[in-house]
């Protein structure tokens, strides 16, 4: 039995150390089954309540604490696992019973020092446990500023997009608003910024998987919906206006769906590596034609008709539509247009295009 206790204790302590390193220390995409299981258990009750909410605002309010609670429970779970593992190791090298082993291991792990032994083997384990507790807590504390810094950088660009894409963001609305104020030439700058944003999100959200569940400060904003809107705007511009500069739009599209695929690999979500440009998509031609009409009504120039542009737009969207819909369903993002179904039946929240109002001239007519 002592050998069994020793092997089991060493396995628990080693596995927990591996989880801590994979989650907090190693600066690259890694998978920790322990962390994933804790996050899933924490998420389930919140999602159960959210599925019974009637409005997107209430659902967002219920799901907002999930990520923070997951981080807290992850730390608690690591400490409990270390406690159990060191208790088993102490039981393996001594005559301590279960309660006495837990008592001494807990005294050392949490540096309370109320229980100790003169047994050499026990003392060594006590020292290891005493070092493990502060190291784990210290790593978790050091992990939080990095996590929230990445969250802040992500949300800054999402917030800036609200004036350009509406609330919630929608790709055709980006084209309509830029055309309305006559700055369609500046679309290239926006696509360039979002290419870099997608690269940063890919790096941070694969290294710290819990970031994907951090929701925006407002219920009508979401990082995934914002990225989808920018990719749709880029795809529409490439399809409708092949004569305009294409480099920035193509690079933003590429960076966007590569970002989604990198995060999907960490979440173990399957996807088509090289989809055919002639494959079908779930967005309908009728929805696309209505969106083109909306953009054109606000002054967006068109080199192709919707019928001519549709095969090209579909060929671009097939690269990211399925993954975007899956993530929107998984994260229960705000039900924006062109973002797919949600877990519960909800009406699509449409952005409102601002009216371009101007003061009247001396004669009472618009200048």
């Amino acid at each position: 039995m002592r050998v069994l206790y020793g092997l089991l204790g060493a396995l628990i302590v080693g596995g927990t150390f591996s989880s801590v390193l994979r989650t907090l220390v190693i600066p690259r995409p890694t998978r920790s089954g322990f962390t994933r299981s804790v996050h899933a258990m924490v998420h389930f009750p919140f999602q159960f309540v959210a599925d019974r909410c009637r409005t997107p605002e209430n659902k967002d309010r219920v799901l907002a604490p999930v990520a923070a609670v997951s981080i807290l429970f992850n730390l608690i779970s690591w400490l409990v696992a270390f406690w159990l593992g060191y208790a088993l190791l102490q039981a393996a090298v001594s005559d301590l019973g279960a309660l006495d082993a837990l008592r001494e291991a807990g005294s050392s792990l949490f540096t309370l020092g109320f229980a100790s032994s003169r047994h050499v083997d026990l003392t060594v384990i006590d020292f290891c446990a005493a070092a493990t507790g502060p190291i784990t807590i210290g790593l978790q504390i050091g992990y939080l500023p990095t996590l929230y810094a990445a969250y802040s950088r992500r949300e800054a660009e999402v917030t800036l997009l609200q004036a350009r894409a509406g609330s919630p963001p929608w790709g055709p609305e980006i084209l309509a608003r830029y055309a309305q104020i006559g700055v369609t030439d500046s679309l290239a700058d926006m696509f360039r910024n979002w290419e870099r944003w997608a690269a940063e999100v890919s790096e941070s959200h694969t290294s710290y998987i819990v970031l994907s569940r951090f929701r925006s400060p407002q219920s009508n904003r979401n990082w995934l919906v914002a990225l989808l809107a920018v990719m749709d705007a880029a795809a529409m511009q490439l399809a409708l206006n092949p004569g305009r500069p294409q480099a920035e739009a193509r690079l933003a599209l590429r960076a966007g769906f590569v970002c989604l695929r990198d995060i999907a690999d960490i979440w173990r979500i399957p996807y088509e590596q090289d989809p055919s440009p002639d494959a079908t998509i779930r967005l309908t031609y009728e929805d696309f034609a209505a969106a083109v009409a909306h953009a054109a009504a606000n002054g967006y120039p068109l080199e192709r008709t919707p019928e001519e542009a549709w095969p090209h737009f579909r060929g671009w969207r097939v690269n990211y539509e399925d993954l975007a819909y899956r993530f929107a369903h998984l994260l229960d993002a705000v039900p924006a247009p062109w973002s797919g179904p949600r877990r519960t039946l909800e009406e699509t929240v449409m952005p409102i295009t601002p009216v371009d109002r101007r003061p009247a001239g001396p004669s009472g007519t618009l200048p």
Side-chain angles (χ1 to χ4, degrees):
M1 288 300 294
R2 287 189 176 184
V3 174
L4 179 61
Y5 287 159
L7 291 176
L8 185 58
L11 181 63
I12 292 174
V13 171
T16 308
F17 265 121
S18 174
S19 177
V20 172
L21 291 174
R22 289 168 180 267
T23 305
L24 304 180
V25 180
I26 300 176
R28 62 181 300 176
T30 55
R31 296 173 178 175
S32 170
F34 184 92
T35 300
R36 188 185 304 274
S37 299
V38 171
H39 289 180
M41 288 188 294
V42 171
H43 179 257
F44 177 78
F46 285 91
Q47 189 66 65
F48 180 82
V49 176
D51 287 344
R52 282 144 186 82
C53 294
R54 296 185 178 181
T55 64
E57 292 78 11
N58 290 338
K59 178 177 289 188
D60 183 78
R61 191 176 299 113
V62 171
L63 293 175
V66 169
V69 174
S70 296
I71 293 173
L72 176 61
F73 270 79
N74 214 27
L75 175 61
I76 294 173
S77 300
W78 282 330
L79 294 176
V80 170
F82 278 129
W83 185 13
L84 177 60
Y86 281 120
L88 287 170
L89 288 175
Q90 289 185 335
V93 300
S94 68
D95 295 325
L96 293 176
L99 292 179
D100 290 335
L102 286 171
R103 182 171 179 268
E104 183 159 337
S107 170
S108 301
L109 182 67
F110 300 106
T111 64
L112 299 176
F114 62 82
S116 61
S117 172
R118 295 183 178 276
H119 195 287
V120 175
D121 294 337
L122 285 176
T123 301
V124 171
I125 296 174
D126 285 339
F127 275 115
C128 292
T132 298
I135 289 174
T136 303
I137 296 173
L139 287 174
Q140 180 75 81
I141 293 173
Y143 162 81
L144 292 178
T146 302
L147 195 69
Y148 281 97
Y151 169 78
S152 179
R153 289 194 301 271
R154 184 192 80 184
E155 290 302 313
E157 201 67 34
V158 173
T159 303
L160 283 173
L161 189 67
Q162 183 171 354
R164 296 169 168 85
S167 182
W170 184 36
E173 185 69 14
I174 296 177
L175 304 182
R177 294 196 180 197
Y178 269 76
Q180 190 181 68
I181 58 177
V183 291
T184 53
D185 291 340
S186 299
L187 281 167
D189 295 331
M190 185 199 69
F191 292 141
R192 192 178 300 112
N193 291 337
W194 276 82
E195 179 194 357
R196 179 172 295 277
W197 180 93
E200 291 180 355
V201 168
S202 175
E203 186 276 330
S204 60
H205 287 50
T206 53
S207 298
Y208 309 109
I209 190 170
V210 73
L211 267 176
S212 298
R213 292 204 183 274
F214 271 89
R215 305 179 77 85
S216 296
Q218 295 186 14
S219 62
N220 55 3
R221 294 205 301 256
N222 181 271
W223 68 269
L224 173 67
V225 173
L227 176 59
L228 177 60
V230 172
M231 289 193 292
D232 280 337
M236 289 184 70
Q237 174 158 301
L238 292 170
L240 292 167
N241 291 307
R244 297 180 68 88
Q246 295 193 358
E248 290 80 6
R250 291 175 67 98
L251 291 173
L253 259 176
R254 178 71 183 179
F257 68 74
V258 167
C259 171
L260 291 180
R261 291 179 180 184
D262 287 344
I263 299 174
D265 289 336
I266 294 297
W267 285 76
R268 298 179 182 176
I269 297 176
Y271 57 87
E272 180 65 40
Q273 292 278 356
D274 187 21
S276 169
D278 295 320
T280 58
I281 60 175
R282 281 181 272 182
L283 183 72
T284 65
Y285 168 74
E286 291 73 19
D287 289 337
F288 173 73
V292 172
H294 170 68
N298 285 275
Y300 185 72
L302 303 178
E303 298 176 14
R304 286 174 174 157
T305 65
E307 293 85 357
E308 294 170 336
W310 171 246
H312 301 277
F313 176 79
R314 184 185 60 198
W316 285 112
R317 202 172 204 262
V318 74
N319 290 289
Y320 59 86
E321 183 190 71
D322 183 60
L323 270 183
Y325 280 16
R326 289 190 184 205
F327 275 120
H329 181 276
L330 182 66
L331 301 176
D332 247 336
V334 55
W338 293 16
S339 62
R342 298 296 183 269
R343 297 172 60 91
T344 55
L345 294 176
E346 299 176 33
E347 293 185 2
T348 300
V349 181
M350 295 293 298
I352 299 175
T353 305
V355 179
D356 188 16
R357 300 183 186 277
R358 300 182 186 182
S363 61
T365 59
L366 288 177

